[in-house]
Amino acid sequence: MASPEKLKKYQKEKFESYKKINNLKINDNEAYIEIKVKDYRSIISDYSLEDNPVLKQEFIDVIERRASIIPLDYPLVLEIHNNNFSSEEKIIIRKLIKNHFTFISINKESELNRLKQKSAYLLLAGITMLIISLLIKKIEIMGIIFEILNILTWVGVWECTSLVLFDEDNIKEEIIKYKHLSKIRVVYNKEKIKN
């Protein structure tokens, strides 16, 4: 199972390698993700309604990609370089970023719960098929049915094991990642962008 400790160890090793290659800004034990944007519309999707803005996927991808190498030990700070934002736009951007990553982490937790339910059902179905096949094994006429039940037993047990061993870890890692991103602090730097 993926645990925050295992993920932290893996990220720390990756982070040390990344720090050697890239110039990463760390202040007061916080890791900074710096992004330069031209204006408010470069963050907000063109398909958004005015009263219901949505972040651009490219903007989200950049944050996720840069955050992926930062260990969980470091609180994240997103530093947006632009001095053209109004105070209302700054508030909207902060809220959208937090809501976006919080929403994803909640969805991933729901996905994990569904996966656990599905694996429990598959295991129960496999055990049930095994019991039925053992009960009808004594009857010679039921040979074909016994083989079919035996196959269904192994399919159910195998699928359950596959879900628990492989898919569950990936979803847990994503939950940890998105919860970390949902706590990102957004700051604005007054740096001008050169066109």
Coordinates of all heavy atoms in Angstrom, one line a residue, residues 18-110:
Y18 N 16.3 16.8 -8.8 CA 15.7 18.0 -9.5 C 16.4 19.3 -9.1 O 16.7 20.1 -9.9 CB 14.2 18.0 -9.2 CG 13.5 19.2 -9.9 CD1 13.1 19.1 -11.3 CD2 13.3 20.4 -9.3 CE1 12.5 20.1 -11.9 CE2 12.6 21.4 -9.9 CZ 12.3 21.3 -11.2 OH 11.6 22.3 -11.9
K19 N 16.7 19.4 -7.8 CA 17.3 20.6 -7.3 C 18.7 20.8 -7.9 O 19.1 22.0 -8.1 CB 17.4 20.6 -5.7 CG 16.2 21.1 -5.0 CD 16.3 21.2 -3.5 CE 17.6 20.9 -2.8 NZ 17.5 21.0 -1.4
K20 N 19.4 19.8 -8.2 CA 20.7 19.9 -8.8 C 20.6 20.4 -10.2 O 21.5 21.1 -10.7 CB 21.4 18.5 -8.8 CG 21.8 18.0 -7.5 CD 22.3 16.6 -7.6 CE 22.5 16.0 -6.2 NZ 22.9 14.6 -6.2
I21 N 19.5 20.1 -10.9 CA 19.4 20.5 -12.3 C 18.7 21.8 -12.5 O 19.1 22.7 -13.3 CB 18.5 19.4 -13.1 CG1 19.3 18.1 -13.0 CG2 18.2 19.8 -14.5 CD1 18.4 16.9 -13.5
N22 N 17.7 22.1 -11.7 CA 16.9 23.3 -11.8 C 17.1 24.3 -10.6 O 17.5 23.8 -9.5 CB 15.4 23.0 -11.9 CG 15.1 22.1 -13.1 OD1 15.2 22.6 -14.2 ND2 14.7 20.9 -12.9
N23 N 16.8 25.5 -10.9 CA 16.9 26.5 -9.8 C 15.6 26.6 -9.1 O 14.7 27.3 -9.6 CB 17.3 27.9 -10.5 CG 17.6 28.9 -9.4 OD1 17.8 28.6 -8.2 ND2 17.6 30.1 -9.8
L24 N 15.4 26.0 -8.0 CA 14.2 26.0 -7.3 C 14.2 26.9 -6.1 O 15.2 27.0 -5.4 CB 13.9 24.6 -6.8 CG 12.5 24.4 -6.1 CD1 11.4 24.5 -7.2 CD2 12.4 23.0 -5.5
K25 N 13.2 27.7 -5.9 CA 13.2 28.7 -4.9 C 12.5 28.1 -3.6 O 11.4 27.7 -3.7 CB 12.3 29.9 -5.4 CG 12.3 31.1 -4.5 CD 11.5 32.2 -5.2 CE 11.2 33.3 -4.2 NZ 10.4 34.4 -4.9
I26 N 13.2 28.1 -2.5 CA 12.7 27.7 -1.2 C 13.0 28.8 -0.2 O 14.1 29.2 0.0 CB 13.4 26.4 -0.8 CG1 13.0 25.3 -1.8 CG2 12.9 26.0 0.6 CD1 13.5 23.9 -1.5
N27 N 11.9 29.3 0.4 CA 12.0 30.3 1.4 C 11.2 29.8 2.6 O 10.0 29.3 2.5 CB 11.4 31.6 1.0 CG 12.3 32.3 0.0 OD1 13.5 32.1 0.0 ND2 11.7 33.2 -0.8
D28 N 11.7 30.0 3.8 CA 11.0 29.6 5.1 C 10.4 28.2 5.0 O 9.3 27.9 5.3 CB 9.9 30.6 5.4 CG 10.5 32.0 5.7 OD1 11.6 32.1 6.2 OD2 9.8 33.0 5.3
N29 N 11.2 27.3 4.4 CA 10.8 25.8 4.3 C 9.6 25.7 3.4 O 8.8 24.7 3.5 CB 10.6 25.2 5.6 CG 10.8 23.7 5.5 OD1 11.7 23.2 4.8 ND2 10.1 22.9 6.3
E30 N 9.3 26.6 2.5 CA 8.2 26.5 1.5 C 8.8 26.4 0.1 O 9.7 27.2 -0.2 CB 7.3 27.7 1.6 CG 6.5 27.8 2.9 CD 5.6 29.0 2.9 OE1 6.0 30.1 2.5 OE2 4.4 28.9 3.4
A31 N 8.2 25.5 -0.7 CA 8.7 25.4 -2.1 C 7.8 26.3 -3.0 O 6.6 26.2 -2.9 CB 8.6 23.9 -2.5
Y32 N 8.5 27.1 -3.8 CA 7.8 28.0 -4.6 C 7.6 27.4 -6.1 O 8.6 26.9 -6.6 CB 8.5 29.3 -4.7 CG 8.2 30.2 -3.5 CD1 8.7 29.9 -2.2 CD2 7.4 31.3 -3.6 CE1 8.4 30.7 -1.1 CE2 7.2 32.2 -2.5 CZ 7.7 31.8 -1.3 OH 7.4 32.6 -0.2
I33 N 6.5 27.5 -6.6 CA 6.2 27.2 -8.0 C 5.9 28.6 -8.6 O 5.0 29.3 -8.3 CB 5.0 26.3 -8.2 CG1 5.2 25.0 -7.5 CG2 4.6 26.1 -9.6 CD1 4.0 24.1 -7.4
E34 N 6.8 29.0 -9.5 CA 6.7 30.3 -10.1 C 6.1 30.2 -11.5 O 6.6 29.4 -12.3 CB 8.1 31.0 -10.2 CG 8.6 31.3 -8.8 CD 10.0 32.0 -8.9 OE1 11.0 31.3 -9.1 OE2 10.0 33.2 -8.6
I35 N 5.1 31.0 -11.8 CA 4.5 31.0 -13.1 C 4.3 32.5 -13.6 O 3.8 33.3 -12.8 CB 3.1 30.3 -13.1 CG1 3.3 28.9 -12.7 CG2 2.4 30.5 -14.4 CD1 2.0 28.1 -12.6
K36 N 4.7 32.7 -14.8 CA 4.5 34.0 -15.4 C 3.2 33.9 -16.3 O 3.1 33.0 -17.1 CB 5.7 34.5 -16.3 CG 6.9 34.8 -15.5 CD 8.0 35.3 -16.3 CE 9.2 35.6 -15.5 NZ 10.3 36.2 -16.3
V37 N 2.4 34.9 -16.1 CA 1.1 34.9 -16.9 C 1.0 36.3 -17.5 O 1.5 37.3 -16.9 CB -0.1 34.6 -16.1 CG1 -0.1 33.1 -15.6 CG2 -0.3 35.5 -14.9
K38 N 0.3 36.4 -18.7 CA 0.2 37.7 -19.3 C -0.9 38.5 -18.7 O -0.8 39.7 -18.4 CB -0.1 37.5 -20.8 CG 1.0 37.0 -21.6 CD 0.7 36.9 -23.0 CE 1.9 36.3 -23.7 NZ 1.7 36.1 -25.1
D39 N -2.1 37.8 -18.4 CA -3.2 38.5 -17.8 C -4.2 37.5 -17.2 O -3.9 36.3 -17.2 CB -3.9 39.4 -18.8 CG -4.4 38.6 -20.0 OD1 -4.4 37.4 -20.0 OD2 -4.8 39.2 -21.0
Y40 N -5.2 38.0 -16.7 CA -6.3 37.2 -16.0 C -6.8 36.1 -17.0 O -7.0 35.0 -16.6 CB -7.4 38.1 -15.5 CG -8.5 37.4 -14.8 CD1 -8.4 36.9 -13.6 CD2 -9.8 37.3 -15.4 CE1 -9.5 36.2 -12.9 CE2 -10.9 36.7 -14.8 CZ -10.7 36.2 -13.5 OH -11.7 35.5 -12.9
R41 N -7.0 36.5 -18.2 CA -7.6 35.6 -19.2 C -6.6 34.4 -19.6 O -7.0 33.4 -20.1 CB -8.0 36.3 -20.5 CG -9.1 37.3 -20.4 CD -10.4 36.8 -19.7 NE -11.0 35.7 -20.4 CZ -12.0 35.1 -19.9 NH1 -12.6 35.4 -18.7 NH2 -12.6 34.0 -20.5
S42 N -5.4 34.6 -19.3 CA -4.4 33.5 -19.5 C -4.5 32.4 -18.5 O -3.9 31.3 -18.7 CB -3.0 34.0 -19.7 OG -2.6 34.6 -18.5
I43 N -5.2 32.7 -17.4 CA -5.4 31.7 -16.3 C -6.8 31.1 -16.4 O -7.1 29.9 -16.2 CB -5.2 32.3 -15.0 CG1 -3.8 32.7 -14.8 CG2 -5.7 31.4 -13.8 CD1 -3.5 33.5 -13.5
I44 N -7.8 31.9 -16.8 CA -9.2 31.5 -16.9 C -9.5 31.0 -18.3 O -9.2 31.6 -19.3 CB -10.1 32.7 -16.5 CG1 -9.8 33.3 -15.2 CG2 -11.6 32.3 -16.6 CD1 -9.9 32.3 -14.0
S45 N -10.3 29.9 -18.4 CA -10.6 29.3 -19.6 C -11.5 30.2 -20.4 O -12.4 30.9 -19.9 CB -11.4 28.0 -19.4 OG -11.9 27.5 -20.6
D46 N -11.3 30.2 -21.8 CA -12.1 31.0 -22.7 C -13.5 30.6 -22.7 O -14.4 31.3 -23.1 CB -11.5 30.9 -24.1 CG -10.1 31.5 -24.2 OD1 -9.8 32.4 -23.4 OD2 -9.3 31.1 -25.0
Y47 N -13.8 29.3 -22.3 CA -15.1 28.8 -22.3 C -15.9 29.0 -21.0 O -17.0 28.6 -20.9 CB -15.1 27.3 -22.6 CG -14.3 27.0 -23.9 CD1 -13.0 26.5 -23.9 CD2 -14.9 27.2 -25.1 CE1 -12.4 26.2 -25.1 CE2 -14.3 27.0 -26.3 CZ -13.0 26.5 -26.3 OH -12.3 26.3 -27.4
S48 N -15.3 29.7 -20.1 CA -16.0 30.0 -18.8 C -17.0 31.1 -19.0 O -16.9 32.0 -19.8 CB -14.9 30.6 -17.8 OG -14.0 29.6 -17.5
L49 N -18.0 31.0 -18.2 CA -19.0 32.0 -18.1 C -18.5 33.1 -17.1 O -17.7 32.8 -16.2 CB -20.3 31.5 -17.5 CG -21.0 30.4 -18.4 CD1 -22.2 29.8 -17.6 CD2 -21.4 30.9 -19.7
E50 N -18.9 34.3 -17.3 CA -18.4 35.4 -16.5 C -18.6 35.2 -15.0 O -17.8 35.5 -14.1 CB -19.0 36.7 -16.9 CG -18.4 37.3 -18.2 CD -16.9 37.6 -18.1 OE1 -16.4 38.1 -17.0 OE2 -16.2 37.2 -19.0
D51 N -19.8 34.6 -14.7 CA -20.2 34.4 -13.2 C -19.7 33.1 -12.7 O -19.9 32.8 -11.6 CB -21.7 34.6 -13.0 CG -22.5 33.6 -13.9 OD1 -22.0 33.1 -14.9 OD2 -23.7 33.4 -13.5
N52 N -19.1 32.3 -13.6 CA -18.7 30.9 -13.2 C -17.3 30.6 -13.9 O -17.3 29.7 -14.8 CB -19.7 29.9 -13.5 CG -19.4 28.5 -12.9 OD1 -18.6 28.4 -12.0 ND2 -20.1 27.5 -13.4
P53 N -16.2 31.3 -13.5 CA -15.0 31.1 -14.2 C -14.4 29.7 -13.9 O -14.6 29.1 -12.8 CB -14.1 32.2 -13.6 CG -14.7 32.5 -12.3 CD -16.1 32.3 -12.4
V54 N -13.6 29.2 -14.8 CA -12.9 27.9 -14.7 C -11.5 28.1 -15.1 O -11.2 28.8 -16.0 CB -13.6 26.8 -15.6 CG1 -12.9 25.5 -15.6 CG2 -15.1 26.7 -15.3
L55 N -10.6 27.4 -14.4 CA -9.1 27.5 -14.8 C -8.8 26.8 -16.1 O -9.4 25.8 -16.4 CB -8.3 26.8 -13.7 CG -8.4 27.5 -12.3 CD1 -7.6 26.6 -11.3 CD2 -7.8 28.9 -12.3
K56 N -7.9 27.3 -16.8 CA -7.4 26.7 -18.0 C -6.6 25.4 -17.7 O -5.9 25.4 -16.7 CB -6.4 27.7 -18.8 CG -7.1 28.7 -19.7 CD -6.2 29.4 -20.6 CE -6.9 30.3 -21.5 NZ -6.1 31.1 -22.3
Q57 N -6.8 24.4 -18.5 CA -6.2 23.2 -18.3 C -4.6 23.3 -18.3 O -3.9 22.7 -17.6 CB -6.7 22.1 -19.2 CG -6.2 20.7 -18.9 CD -6.6 20.2 -17.6 OE1 -7.8 20.4 -17.2 NE2 -5.7 19.7 -16.8
E58 N -4.2 24.1 -19.2 CA -2.7 24.3 -19.4 C -2.1 24.9 -18.1 O -1.0 24.4 -17.6 CB -2.4 25.2 -20.5 CG -0.9 25.4 -20.8 CD -0.7 26.4 -21.9 OE1 -1.6 27.0 -22.4 OE2 0.5 26.5 -22.3
F59 N -2.8 25.8 -17.5 CA -2.4 26.4 -16.2 C -2.3 25.3 -15.1 O -1.3 25.3 -14.4 CB -3.3 27.5 -15.9 CG -3.0 28.3 -14.6 CD1 -1.9 29.1 -14.5 CD2 -3.8 28.1 -13.5 CE1 -1.7 29.8 -13.3 CE2 -3.5 28.7 -12.3 CZ -2.5 29.6 -12.2
I60 N -3.3 24.5 -15.1 CA -3.4 23.4 -14.0 C -2.3 22.4 -14.3 O -1.6 22.0 -13.3 CB -4.8 22.7 -14.1 CG1 -5.9 23.7 -13.7 CG2 -4.8 21.5 -13.2 CD1 -7.3 23.3 -14.1
D61 N -2.0 22.1 -15.5 CA -1.0 21.1 -15.9 C 0.4 21.6 -15.4 O 1.2 20.8 -14.9 CB -1.0 20.8 -17.4 CG -2.2 20.0 -17.8 OD1 -2.9 19.5 -17.0 OD2 -2.5 20.0 -19.0
V62 N 0.7 22.9 -15.6 CA 2.0 23.4 -15.3 C 2.1 23.3 -13.7 O 3.2 22.9 -13.3 CB 2.1 24.9 -15.7 CG1 3.3 25.5 -15.1 CG2 2.2 24.9 -17.2
I63 N 1.1 23.7 -13.0 CA 1.2 23.6 -11.5 C 1.4 22.1 -11.1 O 2.3 21.9 -10.3 CB -0.1 24.1 -10.9 CG1 -0.3 25.6 -11.2 CG2 -0.1 23.9 -9.4 CD1 -1.6 26.2 -10.8
E64 N 0.6 21.2 -11.6 CA 0.8 19.8 -11.3 C 2.2 19.3 -11.6 O 2.8 18.5 -10.8 CB -0.3 19.0 -11.9 CG -1.7 19.2 -11.3 CD -2.7 18.3 -12.0 OE1 -2.4 17.3 -12.7 OE2 -3.9 18.6 -11.8
R65 N 2.6 19.6 -12.8 CA 3.9 19.1 -13.2 C 5.1 19.6 -12.3 O 5.9 18.8 -11.9 CB 4.2 19.5 -14.7 CG 5.4 18.8 -15.3 CD 5.5 19.0 -16.8 NE 5.3 20.4 -17.3 CZ 4.2 20.9 -17.9 NH1 3.2 20.1 -18.2 NH2 4.2 22.1 -18.3
R66 N 5.0 20.8 -12.0 CA 6.1 21.4 -11.2 C 5.9 20.9 -9.7 O 6.9 20.7 -9.0 CB 6.0 22.9 -11.2 CG 6.5 23.4 -12.6 CD 6.6 24.9 -12.7 NE 6.8 25.3 -14.0 CZ 6.8 26.6 -14.4 NH1 6.6 27.5 -13.6 NH2 7.1 26.9 -15.7
A67 N 4.7 20.7 -9.3 CA 4.5 20.3 -7.9 C 4.9 18.8 -7.7 O 5.2 18.3 -6.6 CB 3.1 20.5 -7.5
S68 N 4.9 18.0 -8.8 CA 5.1 16.6 -8.7 C 6.5 16.2 -8.2 O 6.7 15.1 -7.7 CB 4.8 15.9 -10.1 OG 5.8 16.3 -11.0
I69 N 7.4 17.1 -8.4 CA 8.8 16.8 -7.9 C 9.1 17.3 -6.5 O 10.1 17.1 -6.0 CB 9.8 17.3 -8.9 CG1 9.7 18.8 -9.2 CG2 9.8 16.6 -10.2 CD1 10.4 19.7 -8.3
I70 N 8.2 18.1 -6.0 CA 8.4 18.7 -4.6 C 7.9 17.7 -3.6 O 6.7 17.3 -3.6 CB 7.7 20.1 -4.5 CG1 8.3 21.0 -5.6 CG2 7.9 20.6 -3.1 CD1 7.5 22.3 -5.7
P71 N 8.7 17.4 -2.6 CA 8.3 16.4 -1.6 C 7.1 17.0 -0.7 O 7.0 18.2 -0.6 CB 9.5 16.3 -0.7 CG 10.7 16.7 -1.5 CD 10.1 17.7 -2.5
L72 N 6.4 16.1 -0.1 CA 5.2 16.5 0.7 C 5.6 17.3 1.9 O 4.8 17.9 2.6 CB 4.4 15.3 1.1 CG 3.8 14.5 -0.1 CD1 3.2 13.2 0.4 CD2 2.8 15.3 -0.8
D73 N 6.9 17.2 2.3 CA 7.4 17.9 3.5 C 7.3 19.4 3.3 O 7.3 20.1 4.3 CB 8.9 17.5 3.8 CG 9.0 16.0 4.1 OD1 8.0 15.4 4.5 OD2 10.2 15.5 3.9
Y74 N 7.3 19.9 2.1 CA 7.4 21.3 1.8 C 6.0 21.8 1.5 O 5.3 21.3 0.6 CB 8.2 21.6 0.6 CG 9.7 21.4 0.9 CD1 10.3 20.2 0.5 CD2 10.5 22.4 1.4 CE1 11.7 20.0 0.7 CE2 11.9 22.2 1.6 CZ 12.4 21.0 1.3 OH 13.8 20.8 1.5
P75 N 5.5 22.8 2.3 CA 4.2 23.4 1.9 C 4.5 24.1 0.5 O 5.6 24.6 0.3 CB 4.0 24.5 3.0 CG 4.8 24.0 4.1 CD 6.0 23.3 3.5
L76 N 3.5 24.2 -0.3 CA 3.6 24.7 -1.7 C 3.1 26.2 -1.7 O 2.2 26.6 -1.0 CB 2.8 23.9 -2.7 CG 3.1 22.5 -2.8 CD1 2.1 21.8 -3.8 CD2 4.5 22.4 -3.4
V77 N 3.8 27.0 -2.5 CA 3.5 28.4 -2.7 C 3.5 28.6 -4.2 O 4.5 28.3 -4.9 CB 4.4 29.4 -2.0 CG1 4.0 30.8 -2.3 CG2 4.5 29.1 -0.5
L78 N 2.4 29.0 -4.7 CA 2.3 29.4 -6.1 C 2.5 30.9 -6.3 O 1.7 31.7 -5.8 CB 0.9 29.0 -6.7 CG 0.7 29.4 -8.2 CD1 1.7 28.7 -9.1 CD2 -0.7 29.1 -8.6
E79 N 3.6 31.2 -6.9 CA 3.9 32.7 -7.1 C 3.6 33.0 -8.5 O 4.3 32.6 -9.5 CB 5.4 32.9 -6.8 CG 5.7 34.4 -6.8 CD 7.1 34.7 -6.3 OE1 7.9 33.7 -6.0 OE2 7.5 35.9 -6.2
I80 N 2.6 33.8 -8.7 CA 2.2 34.3 -10.0 C 2.8 35.6 -10.3 O 2.6 36.6 -9.6 CB 0.6 34.3 -10.1 CG1 0.0 33.0 -9.9 CG2 0.2 34.9 -11.5 CD1 -1.5 32.9 -9.8
H81 N 3.6 35.7 -11.4 CA 4.2 36.9 -11.8 C 3.4 37.7 -12.7 O 3.2 37.3 -13.9 CB 5.6 36.6 -12.4 CG 6.6 36.0 -11.5 ND1 7.4 36.8 -10.7 CD2 6.8 34.7 -11.1 CE1 8.2 36.0 -10.0 NE2 7.8 34.7 -10.2
N82 N 2.8 38.8 -12.2 CA 2.1 39.7 -13.0 C 1.6 40.8 -12.1 O 1.1 40.5 -11.0 CB 0.9 39.0 -13.7 CG 0.2 39.9 -14.7 OD1 -0.3 41.0 -14.4 ND2 0.2 39.5 -16.0
N83 N 1.6 42.0 -12.6 CA 1.1 43.1 -11.7 C -0.2 43.8 -12.2 O -0.5 44.9 -11.9 CB 2.2 44.2 -11.6 CG 2.6 44.9 -12.9 OD1 2.1 44.4 -14.0 ND2 3.4 45.9 -12.9
N84 N -0.9 43.1 -13.1 CA -2.1 43.6 -13.7 C -3.4 43.1 -13.1 O -4.5 43.4 -13.6 CB -2.1 43.4 -15.2 CG -0.9 44.0 -15.9 OD1 -0.5 45.1 -15.5 ND2 -0.4 43.4 -16.9
F85 N -3.3 42.3 -12.0 CA -4.5 41.7 -11.5 C -5.2 42.7 -10.5 O -4.5 43.4 -9.7 CB -4.2 40.5 -10.7 CG -3.8 39.3 -11.5 CD1 -2.6 38.7 -11.3 CD2 -4.6 38.9 -12.6 CE1 -2.2 37.6 -12.1 CE2 -4.2 37.8 -13.4 CZ -3.0 37.2 -13.1
S86 N -6.5 42.8 -10.6 CA -7.2 43.6 -9.6 C -7.3 42.7 -8.3 O -7.1 41.5 -8.3 CB -8.7 43.9 -10.1 OG -9.4 42.7 -10.2
S87 N -7.7 43.3 -7.2 CA -7.8 42.6 -6.0 C -8.9 41.5 -6.1 O -8.8 40.4 -5.5 CB -8.1 43.5 -4.8 OG -9.2 44.3 -5.0
E88 N -10.0 41.8 -6.8 CA -11.1 40.8 -7.0 C -10.6 39.6 -7.8 O -10.9 38.5 -7.5 CB -12.2 41.5 -7.7 CG -13.4 40.6 -7.9 CD -14.6 41.3 -8.7 OE1 -14.7 42.5 -8.6 OE2 -15.3 40.5 -9.4
E89 N -9.8 39.9 -8.9 CA -9.3 38.8 -9.7 C -8.3 37.9 -8.9 O -8.3 36.7 -9.0 CB -8.5 39.4 -10.9 CG -9.5 40.0 -11.9 CD -8.7 40.7 -13.0 OE1 -7.6 41.1 -12.8 OE2 -9.3 40.9 -14.1
K90 N -7.5 38.5 -8.0 CA -6.6 37.7 -7.2 C -7.4 36.8 -6.2 O -7.0 35.6 -6.1 CB -5.8 38.7 -6.3 CG -4.7 39.4 -7.1 CD -3.9 40.3 -6.2 CE -2.9 41.1 -7.0 NZ -2.1 42.0 -6.1
I91 N -8.5 37.3 -5.7 CA -9.3 36.5 -4.8 C -10.0 35.3 -5.6 O -10.0 34.2 -5.1 CB -10.4 37.4 -4.1 CG1 -9.8 38.3 -3.1 CG2 -11.5 36.5 -3.4 CD1 -10.7 39.4 -2.6
I92 N -10.5 35.7 -6.8 CA -11.1 34.6 -7.6 C -10.1 33.5 -8.0 O -10.4 32.4 -7.9 CB -11.7 35.3 -8.9 CG1 -12.9 36.1 -8.5 CG2 -12.1 34.2 -9.9 CD1 -13.4 37.0 -9.7
I93 N -8.9 33.9 -8.4 CA -7.8 33.0 -8.7 C -7.5 32.1 -7.6 O -7.4 30.8 -7.7 CB -6.6 33.7 -9.3 CG1 -6.9 34.3 -10.6 CG2 -5.4 32.7 -9.5 CD1 -5.9 35.3 -11.1
R94 N -7.3 32.6 -6.4 CA -7.0 31.8 -5.2 C -8.1 30.8 -4.9 O -7.8 29.6 -4.7 CB -6.8 32.8 -4.0 CG -5.5 33.4 -3.9 CD -5.3 34.2 -2.6 NE -4.1 34.8 -2.5 CZ -3.9 36.2 -2.6 NH1 -5.0 37.0 -2.7 NH2 -2.7 36.7 -2.6
K95 N -9.3 31.3 -5.0 CA -10.5 30.4 -4.7 C -10.6 29.3 -5.7 O -10.8 28.2 -5.4 CB -11.7 31.3 -4.7 CG -13.0 30.5 -4.4 CD -14.2 31.4 -4.4 CE -15.5 30.6 -4.3 NZ -16.7 31.4 -4.6
L96 N -10.4 29.7 -7.0 CA -10.5 28.6 -8.1 C -9.4 27.6 -7.9 O -9.7 26.4 -8.1 CB -10.4 29.3 -9.5 CG -11.6 30.1 -9.9 CD1 -11.3 30.8 -11.2 CD2 -12.8 29.2 -10.1
I97 N -8.2 28.0 -7.6 CA -7.1 27.0 -7.5 C -7.4 26.1 -6.3 O -7.3 24.8 -6.4 CB -5.8 27.7 -7.3 CG1 -5.4 28.4 -8.6 CG2 -4.7 26.7 -6.9 CD1 -4.2 29.4 -8.5
K98 N -7.8 26.6 -5.2 CA -8.1 25.8 -4.0 C -9.3 24.8 -4.3 O -9.2 23.6 -4.0 CB -8.4 26.7 -2.8 CG -8.7 25.9 -1.6 CD -8.9 26.7 -0.4 CE -9.3 26.0 0.9 NZ -8.5 24.9 1.3
N99 N -10.3 25.4 -4.9 CA -11.5 24.6 -5.2 C -11.2 23.5 -6.2 O -11.7 22.4 -6.0 CB -12.7 25.5 -5.7 CG -13.3 26.3 -4.6 OD1 -13.0 26.2 -3.4 ND2 -14.1 27.3 -5.0
H100 N -10.4 23.8 -7.2 CA -10.1 22.8 -8.2 C -9.4 21.6 -7.6 O -9.9 20.5 -7.8 CB -9.2 23.5 -9.3 CG -8.8 22.5 -10.3 ND1 -9.6 22.1 -11.4 CD2 -7.6 21.8 -10.4 CE1 -8.9 21.2 -12.1 NE2 -7.8 21.0 -11.6
F101 N -8.4 21.8 -6.8 CA -7.6 20.7 -6.3 C -8.4 20.0 -5.2 O -8.3 18.8 -5.0 CB -6.2 21.1 -5.9 CG -5.3 21.5 -7.0 CD1 -4.8 22.8 -7.1 CD2 -5.1 20.6 -8.0 CE1 -4.0 23.2 -8.2 CE2 -4.3 21.0 -9.1 CZ -3.8 22.2 -9.2
T102 N -9.2 20.7 -4.4 CA -10.0 20.1 -3.4 C -11.0 19.2 -4.0 O -11.3 18.1 -3.6 CB -10.7 21.2 -2.5 OG1 -9.7 22.0 -1.9 CG2 -11.5 20.5 -1.4
F103 N -11.7 19.7 -5.1 CA -12.7 18.9 -5.8 C -12.1 17.6 -6.4 O -12.7 16.5 -6.2 CB -13.3 19.7 -6.9 CG -14.3 19.0 -7.8 CD1 -15.6 18.8 -7.3 CD2 -14.0 18.6 -9.1 CE1 -16.5 18.1 -8.0 CE2 -14.9 18.0 -9.8 CZ -16.2 17.7 -9.3
I104 N -10.9 17.7 -6.9 CA -10.2 16.5 -7.5 C -9.9 15.5 -6.3 O -10.2 14.3 -6.5 CB -9.0 16.8 -8.3 CG1 -9.3 17.6 -9.5 CG2 -8.2 15.5 -8.6 CD1 -8.1 18.1 -10.3
S105 N -9.4 16.0 -5.2 CA -9.1 15.0 -4.1 C -10.4 14.4 -3.6 O -10.4 13.2 -3.2 CB -8.3 15.7 -3.0 OG -9.1 16.7 -2.3
I106 N -11.5 15.1 -3.5 CA -12.7 14.5 -3.1 C -13.2 13.4 -4.1 O -13.6 12.4 -3.7 CB -13.8 15.6 -2.9 CG1 -13.5 16.5 -1.7 CG2 -15.2 15.0 -2.7 CD1 -14.3 17.7 -1.5
N107 N -13.1 13.7 -5.4 CA -13.5 12.7 -6.4 C -12.6 11.5 -6.3 O -13.1 10.4 -6.5 CB -13.3 13.3 -7.8 CG -14.5 14.2 -8.1 OD1 -15.6 14.1 -7.5 ND2 -14.4 15.0 -9.2
K108 N -11.3 11.7 -6.0 CA -10.4 10.5 -5.9 C -10.7 9.7 -4.7 O -10.6 8.5 -4.7 CB -8.9 11.0 -5.9 CG -8.4 11.6 -7.1 CD -8.4 10.6 -8.3 CE -7.9 11.2 -9.6 NZ -7.9 10.2 -10.7
E109 N -11.1 10.3 -3.6 CA -11.6 9.6 -2.4 C -12.8 8.8 -2.7 O -12.9 7.6 -2.3 CB -11.8 10.5 -1.2 CG -10.5 11.0 -0.6 CD -10.7 12.1 0.4 OE1 -11.8 12.7 0.5 OE2 -9.7 12.3 1.2
S110 N -13.7 9.3 -3.5 CA -15.0 8.6 -3.9 C -14.6 7.4 -4.8 O -15.1 6.3 -4.6 CB -15.9 9.5 -4.6 OG -16.4 10.6 -3.8

